[in-house]
Amino acid sequence: WNDMGISTMVSDSCRLMRTSYFSGLGFLLPRKAYLSLRGMWPDLPTMGWDSWMRVAFHEEGKECVIPEVPRTRRASVKKLPKSKLS
């Protein structure tokens, strides 16, 4: 996921970028990384899971590879034209 990757405002749909900031809601990670993070997960969280992941990524020195144009789509309860969903 790339919060700034609005398809009409980017130039290369194949471009990937690297960031040390956990990008958020749509992501995949290798099993080894999941098991490592699962072992660090707090018993009594004091923040949302996405905020915790950002802290954990920073502390572990991890990086994310994100596409310039997101590969995820929004879902809507209302019937909207497809052009409004991208």
Side-chain angles (χ1 to χ4, degrees):
W1 179 253
N2 175 2
D3 291 329
M4 302 302 179
I6 300 167
S7 59
T8 58
M9 300 183 74
V10 295
S11 60
D12 187 349
S13 63
C14 295
R15 182 177 178 204
L16 298 175
M17 299 176 290
R18 184 184 303 254
T19 178
S20 59
Y21 182 77
F22 176 71
S23 59
L25 306 176
F27 69 97
L28 295 170
L29 66 157
R31 179 178 171 80
K32 184 177 177 181
Y34 165 75
L35 293 173
S36 171
L37 290 169
R38 185 179 74 171
M40 297 167 46
W41 192 261
D43 291 330
L44 300 170
T46 58
M47 62 183 83
W49 71 269
D50 54 335
S51 296
W52 183 86
M53 286 285 284
R54 287 181 180 99
V55 170
F57 259 61
H58 181 72
E59 288 178 354
E60 292 288 308
K62 297 192 180 303
E63 294 182 329
C64 292
V65 175
I66 59 173
E68 184 172 28
V69 178
R71 304 308 193 261
T72 56
R73 298 280 183 240
R74 292 184 180 95
S76 176
V77 175
K78 296 179 184 179
K79 288 284 187 179
L80 295 175
K82 188 173 182 173
S83 63
K84 299 283 186 184
L85 296 175
S86 300

